[in-house]
Amino acid sequence: MSEIQTITTGELKKKLDAGEELYLVDVREDEEIEMGKIKQAEHIRMGDIPENLDKLDKDKEYIVICRSGRRSENVCHYLQDQGYKVRNMVGGMLEWEGDVE
């Protein structure tokens, strides 16, 4: 398995605070999203990723988010195998200290 690029919650917050245009995909379940998600993140449940590949652009890099970073790592492996550029947010929403909606 190839190496997955990562980003920490702190690094991501700095980039968002600086106004960088980033593509975030939150793969948690609906009830987890109700507890709050990063405003810029698009919600696509982990199980729905395969049928939503047409929503993703292979020219963009996606930062994949879940609760702890484990599911998002699995999604990163899958997407990377499909030819997408991805980065896993390590620590997940458990470590996120920025704003949520």
Side-chain angles (χ1 to χ4, degrees):
M1 244 192 264
S2 50
E3 186 77 18
I4 296 293
Q5 295 291 312
T6 61
I7 187 168
T8 67
T9 55
E11 289 167 338
L12 177 58
K13 185 174 183 322
K14 277 191 196 131
K15 288 176 176 287
L16 291 173
D17 288 348
E20 285 189 41
E21 185 177 13
L22 301 170
Y23 301 95
L24 312 179
V25 178
D26 192 320
V27 299
R28 295 176 298 154
E29 295 299 317
D30 294 343
E31 60 274 8
E32 293 174 290
I33 292 290
E34 288 171 15
M35 294 178 230
K37 75 172 186 63
I38 300 170
K39 189 171 112 185
Q40 296 86 335
E42 181 174 356
H43 177 221
I44 306 174
R45 289 187 310 265
M46 179 177 175
D48 295 340
I49 291 286
E51 68 236 30
N52 282 283
L53 291 179
D54 59 333
K55 288 184 177 178
L56 305 177
D57 181 342
K58 288 190 177 177
D59 293 329
K60 295 176 179 164
E61 179 184 72
Y62 293 92
I63 297 170
V64 186
I65 301 163
C66 71
R67 190 179 74 88
S68 68
R70 189 76 203 118
R71 279 176 288 175
S72 53
E73 182 181 9
N74 290 334
V75 170
C76 282
H77 281 292
Y78 173 77
L79 288 174
Q80 194 165 275
D81 288 347
Q82 307 304 311
Y84 292 92
K85 291 183 272 224
V86 292
R87 193 172 282 262
N88 184 32
M89 185 176 91
V90 292
M93 292 303 287
L94 288 175
E95 291 186 15
W96 178 251
E97 293 181 356
D99 293 335
V100 294
E101 63 171 15

